[in-house]
Amino acid sequence: MGKETREYYSFVPMNKPKILDCIKEKYGEYEKSNEEYVEGYYKFKNKCFIKVYKDKYKDGKKERNGKILMYGRNEDYQEFREKDMRFNGSHVEESKADSPLISELNFKYQTIGSDESGKGETFKYLVITAAYVDGANDVKRFIKLGVDDSKEIEKKIQIIGKEVTHIHSWDELLKNLDEKKLFVTDCSVTKIITNEEYNKRCCEKGENINDIIKEAHLEVLREVYKNHPNSMIVVDNFYGESKKAIAKFKEELSSGDFPTDSDHIFMTVKADSKIMAVSLASVISVYICNLGYDYVQKVLDDYKKDPEEELLLHSNKKENKKCADEALVEFFLKLKPDLLEDFINKYTKKNFTNVQAAINKMKQK
């Protein structure tokens, strides 16, 4: 098998039946497993393994796609993931029968993809990235690096992010912004909207969040397109099922100083799990978003009442609304009262319902 690395690699297959056939052809029938959601288990003598997870359902609805997890078998990861991407014959945009196949976009075309991170997080900045991938060779290179749907490689985001951006901290990132306040690498352009800017635009000027995201996507896509004209463009769909909004976005992107062919622009759901250019954009956005989060965690020391207390930013994930509101109130009450408003204005998305609920509860107390 060549050199093995003792790391975990995983991906959600787009064509699971064919990938399972490939694994069985290479390794034979899998062992049975007692784990509830594992349907295939290939255990090797050197303690490496491949696990195939079932799709997870709740109340009759699919909650999570089954993934393929590999430990210590980097070459298998590259082989099976590349095969899976080549196997996939679905269109990138279901509403257009003549749109390119996902496999063709990944392996036959120059592609620019864009995605954002931080939209629904109280303390994280909004980060939007467009990334360029030059066909099959780039796809193979990024597969080898481990680039995938960012939700599937959370523990590897930091390693991959450093490798791709060559940036290690928020301060280093700020020093590398260009005159347009964009962060540019050899394969990507990133726009950062801090929570202070977000609050000025949403709360003071009344701008719509989707309009802010749209403008950022347009900006970074145009910047990348300057250097890679005639590329196909794929955007992770942030409009949902609004065909009118999607058509308007395409119209705006295909006009102006750097026009593209609107027939070469596609918006599709879960694009970060289908198109390598979008996967790369997603990974970079998440990595930079995390750097900003780490920066806010550091400045928190200047705001907390007790300098000796270890105070962590409150997460608004995986909590019911009542618990989340109470936890945020408790968090805010540990900050210096005279600096609380400044902290909320600069480092939270203050129009979020949890922030507003916490502010109201503190007023009542």
Side-chain angles (χ1 to χ4, degrees), residues 44-260:
F44 304 98
K45 292 181 180 179
N46 58 4
K47 297 183 179 179
C48 296
F49 63 79
I50 299 175
K51 283 186 179 181
V52 181
Y53 285 85
K54 302 175 184 177
D55 294 342
K56 188 176 180 180
Y57 291 86
K58 185 176 182 180
D59 299 327
K61 294 183 179 180
K62 185 185 287 188
E63 191 176 56
R64 188 176 183 86
N65 290 319
K67 66 181 179 180
I68 294 177
L69 174 68
M70 302 177 183
Y71 174 66
R73 306 191 74 82
N74 190 15
E75 290 184 3
D76 279 348
Y77 163 77
Q78 295 172 45
E79 175 189 344
F80 292 131
R81 181 151 183 254
E82 183 182 338
K83 282 184 176 180
D84 180 58
M85 294 174 81
R86 290 187 182 277
F87 284 150
N88 193 279
S90 61
H91 292 100
V92 68
E93 194 173 39
E94 293 80 0
S95 62
K96 292 185 65 176
D98 58 345
S99 64
L101 299 178
I102 290 172
S103 56
E104 290 179 347
L105 277 177
N106 278 315
F107 293 100
K108 294 183 181 179
Y109 292 99
Q110 296 175 327
T111 309
I112 300 170
S114 65
D115 199 5
E116 77 278 344
S117 182
K119 177 181 176 180
E121 307 249 13
T122 302
F123 296 107
K124 287 189 175 181
Y125 296 157
L126 185 58
V127 179
I128 302 92
T129 299
Y132 171 75
V133 170
D134 187 8
N137 288 336
D138 265 3
V139 169
K140 291 179 181 180
R141 176 165 67 93
F142 289 124
I143 286 176
K144 186 175 182 179
L145 189 59
V147 176
D148 200 347
D149 178 350
S150 58
K151 294 181 288 299
E152 294 302 320
I153 55 170
E154 290 182 2
K155 294 181 179 179
K156 297 177 73 69
I157 289 284
Q158 186 174 9
I159 297 172
I160 299 172
K162 286 179 182 178
E163 178 74 20
V164 174
T165 66
H166 307 294
I167 293 294
H168 300 79
S169 70
W170 184 255
D171 290 337
E172 185 181 357
L173 174 71
L174 294 181
K175 292 176 183 177
N176 282 273
L177 297 182
D178 66 10
E179 68 280 357
K180 296 180 181 179
K181 295 186 177 180
L182 298 172
F183 173 63
V184 181
T185 74
D186 58 354
C187 65
S188 66
V189 174
T190 299
K191 176 78 172 182
I192 302 156
I193 299 172
T194 65
N195 287 343
E196 185 173 18
E197 180 183 350
Y198 173 95
N199 289 332
K200 287 179 180 178
R201 295 180 67 174
C202 284
C203 304
E204 296 177 21
K205 297 181 180 179
E207 293 185 50
N208 180 280
I209 180 59
N210 272 351
D211 288 339
I212 294 174
I213 292 174
K214 178 197 72 174
E215 288 177 16
H217 274 277
L218 291 172
E219 184 175 6
V220 295
L221 286 167
R222 285 169 177 159
E223 288 296 319
V224 176
Y225 192 81
K226 280 189 209 175
N227 296 321
H228 305 287
N230 302 318
S231 297
M232 305 292 264
I233 294 175
V234 185
V235 182
D236 194 56
N237 187 359
F238 55 89
Y239 279 125
E241 298 180 0
S242 176
K243 292 184 179 180
K244 184 177 180 181
I246 292 172
K248 180 66 175 176
F249 178 87
K250 291 183 178 184
E251 181 183 333
E252 289 191 46
L253 185 56
S254 58
S255 62
D257 296 333
F258 305 100
T260 65

Side-chain angles (χ1 to χ4, degrees), residues 291-305:
L291 289 181
Y293 188 76
D294 292 341
Y295 164 74
V296 176
Q297 180 64 56
K298 288 181 181 178
V299 303
L300 189 58
D301 287 342
D302 297 328
Y303 288 87
K304 61 187 183 182
K305 288 179 183 177

